[in-house]
Amino acid sequence: MDAQKSLRDTQQAHYTLLPEYPSVAGPPVTRRRTLKGCALVIASVVFLMSLVALILSQSQELSQKPVEKDGSVPLVTNTTSFSEPRGVAQGVSAKSNPSLSDELSYNWTNAMFSWQRTSYHFQPEKNWMNDPDGPLFYKGWYHLFYQYNPDSAVWGNITWGHAVSTDLIHWLYLPIAMVPDRWYDINGVWTGSATILPDGQIVMLYTGSTNTTVQVQNLAYPANLSDPLLLDWVKYSGNPVLVPPPGIGYKDFRDPTTAWIGPDGQWRITIGSKINKTGLSLVYKTTDFIHYHLSYNLLHEVPGTGMWECVDFYPVSTNGSKGLDTSVNAPGVKHILKASLDDTKVDHYAIGTYYAGNDTWVPDNPKEDVGIGLKVDYGRYYASKTFYDQNKERRILWGWINETDTESDDLRKGWASVQTIPRNVLFDNKTGTNILQWPVEEIETLRLNSSEFNEVVVGPGSVVPLDIGTATQLDIFAEFEVEKLESEETENDATGCGRGSIERTKLGPFGILVIADDSLSERTPIFFRLHNSTGGDVTTFFCADETRSSIAPDVLKRVYGTEVPVVDGEKLSFRVLVDHSIVESFAQGGRRVITSRVYPTQAIYGAARIFLFNNASGVNVKANLKIWQLNSAFIHPFPFDQIQ
Ligand code: DQQ
């Protein structure tokens, strides 16, 4: 409890709060006040408290050919170097791509860029987007806010973009909800969360980067609760409601969570931070969302994990199939603690127990603690956030899929980033050691014609084309059975995902090739690889290999993967959503997820194909697949002009 102790010691020492705040807009906050100033401030506070009290009190994936053509497909190697991501000066992560040398620049065409835009994943019409913010369901509409730069396809000038949907699939863009226009958020209206109070009021807490780039927490609320679109937002005039406490760096205090109620009737929120290299989460209690009390205890801390961004904290039922509202804490409930690790740009979570008495959380398995164990998604994914959907009694997870091309290409495209398909989150009561993530059921409304392939036997070193026509928008479900070849020993010489799909072992890899052209000059393999462990146990790895996804040299291409639990009696299975440059892959019912970002140059439009492959040397693989073509979602500006 080093960080905890350090924090307490500092709290007892002299407290230098924040640098002085010159007024930009809105009321200045200074450390010394004149008597007249004090009277004015007191009167304003009384007025504002009454106003907020009034608002809070008002009603709320047949011919066979070799996978590798004797090395004729060149290994695309990135000569990458990582530079400081944009936003570090402001104390925040943003574009975290490697900077790729200009000599590697590919001759992209507008047609290639256009193809990269997704058809059923949410993305703004243009410009930059990052974290999902304040998702909620209100009066028949799902609301998604998001970090948005209205001026450019790179991070900066962060506002809250806003869109609504009745089904989490088709979206209507609304006007920007909040812009940086006050001293306390002039450097950015950063990430935050919504809380719907029992009486129907909505509280939005968000991080503002002040005029001196100090991170503070601010309160905002809808101007008109009778408006289902929640178009107008009021920033509480007494903002900020929280400033970095003593011992916490002024750029290490951000991203308040949805609030939950403890047994004492008080609301709690948690906010990510760090002390030295220890990532941590602070807890504050409040009754009115204006005044806060810092808890003596940290919710949790993990040495060596660095700054925790976008902390998420929520209950899951260990024996149910429904999601839980954020305040639920009872027998049969476990709590998920998630942190987005600023140092690695990876979202990690752990399962544990929340002790409401002292507002602490303890992981079930300390070896799988937050930041050192499970990842929410093992691919390109960051800054995720859940919300409780009271409409369908489920917990929905959003996550930001960032780009892996260059900033200059983003500027040429005019846009950057996509949100994942919203995922339903449940505790996995078969393993007891992970959550399950599955695309929301509404995505099935996009399904068009389907093709089935039954008991397709794929021999060692083979590729089987799956004739489904164009393969750019797909929902693929695939099951695999492995038949050991009698002639072969099945000892393994490699484990994990290795160097991707080209690295053959007796037991893998096998799976599918998506976004592949006929010559396989470009392809993205999604696959399993098995490993015989000592004692006869088989370990299963689930992997996605981007290394040959594009012949363009100026995009980052990685092999992603992890071990996935397979319960006795289960077949190996995965579901893959293909949407142009996005491939979202869910193994074993969603125990592990890998999101890939691919930028092909040949395997686009009508040239995109799908194949089965088996690059194992010691097994035949029998596959069953069902593949749906998916329609495009309707994602357009809200038709205000058609509404009276
Ligand atoms: N993005 C926001 C921050 C958050 C970071 C700024 C995570 O609030 O910590 O755009 O991507």
Side-chain angles (χ1 to χ4, degrees):
M1 286 287 173
D2 288 348
Q4 180 101 49
K5 183 173 183 310
S6 152
L7 190 58
R8 285 177 188 155
D9 290 351
T10 319
Q11 281 165 349
Q12 285 158 13
H14 178 70
Y15 177 15
T16 305
L17 181 64
L18 289 170
E20 295 289 306
Y21 296 128
S23 176
V24 174
V29 175
T30 54
R31 302 311 306 154
R32 283 191 198 142
R33 292 175 175 134
T34 61
L35 273 178
K36 193 176 162 194
C38 279
L40 197 63
V41 169
I42 290 165
S44 310
V45 168
V46 169
F47 171 73
L48 294 168
M49 283 173 64
S50 320
L51 185 64
V52 172
L54 179 70
I55 290 159
L56 292 177
S57 68
Q58 283 174 351
S59 38
Q60 339 158 23
E61 184 176 41
L62 274 165
S63 67
Q64 300 197 330
K65 50 187 175 180
V67 172
E68 284 308 305
K69 299 191 285 183
D70 303 326
S72 61
V73 177
L75 174 68
V76 180
T77 316
N78 287 321
T79 51
T80 55
S81 64
F82 286 83
S83 63
E84 193 170 69
R86 185 182 295 275
V88 163
Q90 286 81 10
V92 68
S93 67
K95 179 91 180 183
S96 53
N97 286 352
S99 56
L100 297 144
S101 104
D102 281 345
E103 305 92 73
L104 295 174
S105 181
Y106 187 75
N107 193 17
W108 295 97
T109 63
N110 286 336
M112 291 171 189
F113 282 148
S114 298
W115 181 89
Q116 290 169 16
R117 266 190 85 85
T118 56
S119 287
Y120 61 86
H121 281 76
F122 179 82
Q123 60 180 123
E125 279 185 295
K126 59 181 180 180
N127 294 325
W128 168 269
M129 171 178 68
N130 55 296
D131 319 354
D133 289 319
L136 72 151
F137 178 80
Y138 187 68
K139 289 187 186 287
W141 291 97
Y142 291 98
H143 290 254
L144 176 66
F145 302 88
Y146 47 94
Q147 298 280 281
Y148 181 59
N149 182 350
D151 301 326
S152 174
V154 294
W155 186 87
N157 184 31
I158 294 295
T159 68
W160 272 34
H162 187 190
V164 287
S165 170
T166 55
D167 62 3
L168 291 165
I169 298 296
H170 305 286
W171 291 92
L172 296 168
Y173 303 118
L174 291 174
I176 289 169
M178 292 194 281
V179 297
D181 59 359
R182 306 297 163 98
W183 69 265
Y184 53 77
D185 63 12
I186 198 72
N187 275 304
V189 183
W190 288 358
T191 280
S193 305
T195 304
I196 304 180
L197 305 185
D199 64 1
Q201 299 292 319
I202 298 173
V203 166
M204 199 67 88
L205 289 171
Y206 72 94
T207 297
S209 178
T210 73
N211 52 346
T212 51
T213 68
V214 175
Q215 294 169 10
V216 298
Q217 315 312 326
N218 301 313
L219 170 64
Y221 45 87
N224 177 9
L225 276 172
S226 63
D227 172 15
L229 297 180
L230 302 172
L231 288 174
D232 298 318
W233 289 81
V234 177
K235 294 178 185 172
Y236 170 53
S237 53
N239 281 335
V241 293
L242 277 172
V243 297
I248 292 297
Y250 69 96
K251 290 181 179 174
D252 303 327
F253 183 60
R254 57 185 181 268
D255 311 331
T257 60
T258 294
W260 70 95
I261 304 182
D264 58 3
Q266 293 193 66
W267 290 96
R268 278 108 165 119
I269 58 166
T270 186
I271 299 175
S273 187
K274 68 171 180 181
I275 292 180
N276 300 319
K277 276 287 187 189
T278 297
L280 56 91
S281 202
L282 302 156
V283 178
Y284 286 91
K285 291 188 189 184
T286 183
T287 53
D288 58 10
F289 292 91
I290 295 172
H291 305 94
Y292 295 81
H293 176 75
L294 178 59
S295 171
Y296 185 71
N297 297 310
L298 295 172
L299 181 66
H300 196 52
E301 63 178 301
V302 183
T305 55
M307 175 69 197
W308 286 8
E309 297 185 306
C310 304
V311 169
D312 198 16
F313 185 59
Y314 58 90
V316 284
S317 168
T318 55
N319 48 22
S321 57
K322 290 181 175 171
L324 298 177
D325 205 348
T326 313
S327 294
V328 175
N329 191 14
V333 169
K334 283 188 181 289
H335 275 76
I336 308 298
L337 179 60
K338 188 271 318 186
S340 302
L341 268 55
D342 194 17
D343 288 357
T344 56
K345 305 294 178 292
V346 174
D347 276 21
H348 283 267
Y349 78 95
I351 302 172
T353 302
Y354 167 56
Y355 295 97
N358 63 2
D359 288 310
T360 58
W361 174 92
V362 177
D364 284 358
N365 178 0
K367 290 185 181 150
E368 294 273 310
D369 207 340
V370 179
I372 59 171
L374 295 165
K375 298 178 183 177
V376 178
D377 186 307
Y378 288 78
R380 192 73 177 169
Y381 180 92
Y382 196 61
S384 61
K385 183 181 292 297
T386 64
F387 75 102
Y388 177 66
D389 171 12
Q390 70 275 26
N391 181 38
K392 288 198 168 179
E393 298 182 280
R394 58 187 176 174
R395 184 159 288 272
I396 305 292
L397 171 69
W398 282 101
W400 164 40
I401 312 173
N402 39 9
E403 303 287 327
T404 53
D405 59 353
T406 63
E407 274 195 346
S408 56
D409 287 340
D410 291 345
L411 288 165
R412 284 183 59 201
K413 287 189 302 195
W415 60 271
S417 302
V418 179
Q419 298 291 338
T420 56
I421 283 300
R423 303 172 183 168
N424 190 24
V425 178
L426 288 172
F427 177 78
D428 184 353
N429 51 27
K430 284 193 185 160
T431 63
T433 56
N434 56 271
I435 56 169
L436 296 171
Q437 304 173 53
W438 203 243
V440 292
E441 61 187 6
E442 288 89 336
I443 197 174
E444 293 164 29
T445 63
L446 294 180
R447 287 177 175 172
L448 300 169
N449 53 313
S450 64
S451 310
E452 284 190 49
F453 301 88
N454 297 313
E455 311 220 320
V456 184
V457 176
V458 194
S462 302
V463 168
V464 178
L466 298 172
D467 187 12
I468 61 161
T470 303
T472 50
Q473 295 175 210
L474 303 176
D475 186 352
I476 304 160
F477 185 77
E479 270 181 358
F480 300 89
E481 282 173 89
V482 173
E483 180 196 55
K484 188 181 139 190
L485 299 179
E486 292 302 328
S487 56
E488 293 284 349
E489 297 290 325
T490 53
E491 285 87 41
N492 259 346
D493 45 359
T495 187
C497 297
R499 289 179 298 115
S501 63
I502 57 152
E503 188 167 347
R504 304 182 68 171
T505 66
K506 301 280 189 329
L507 298 176
F510 55 86
I512 59 175
L513 308 175
V514 297
I515 305 295
D517 62 328
D518 276 330
S519 72
L520 300 182
S521 66
E522 293 179 326
R523 64 213 194 249
T524 299
I526 308 297
F527 61 89
F528 288 114
R529 187 205 299 275
L530 311 183
H531 180 76
N532 268 340
S533 306
T534 44
D537 288 343
V538 175
T539 312
T540 305
F541 293 88
F542 176 55
C543 318
D545 178 0
E546 296 174 351
T547 56
R548 286 158 183 80
S549 59
S550 172
I551 59 172
D554 55 348
V555 295
L556 182 67
K557 294 164 230 161
R558 284 183 171 148
V559 177
Y560 291 110
T562 178
E563 186 179 336
V564 57
V566 181
V567 171
D568 278 352
E570 283 184 349
K571 286 185 178 165
L572 297 175
S573 69
F574 56 59
R575 182 176 178 186
V576 178
L577 297 176
V578 176
D579 187 6
H580 297 252
S581 57
I582 301 288
V583 182
E584 272 187 81
S585 309
F586 304 78
Q588 302 306 124
R591 283 184 193 130
R592 298 290 188 271
V593 186
I594 306 175
T595 297
S596 309
R597 199 68 216 276
V598 295
Y599 304 85
T601 64
Q602 319 289 311
I604 57 177
Y605 298 104
R609 300 268 179 273
I610 177 172
F611 301 80
L612 268 169
F613 84 100
N614 174 16
N615 217 13
S617 59
V619 291
N620 276 329
V621 169
K622 193 157 70 182
N624 289 303
L625 297 101
K626 185 158 186 179
I627 305 173
W628 291 265
Q629 296 281 354
L630 288 187
N631 210 343
S632 300
F634 186 90
I635 306 178
H636 290 281
F638 195 93
F640 286 110
D641 54 340
Q642 294 165 32
I643 291 173
Q644 299 301 313

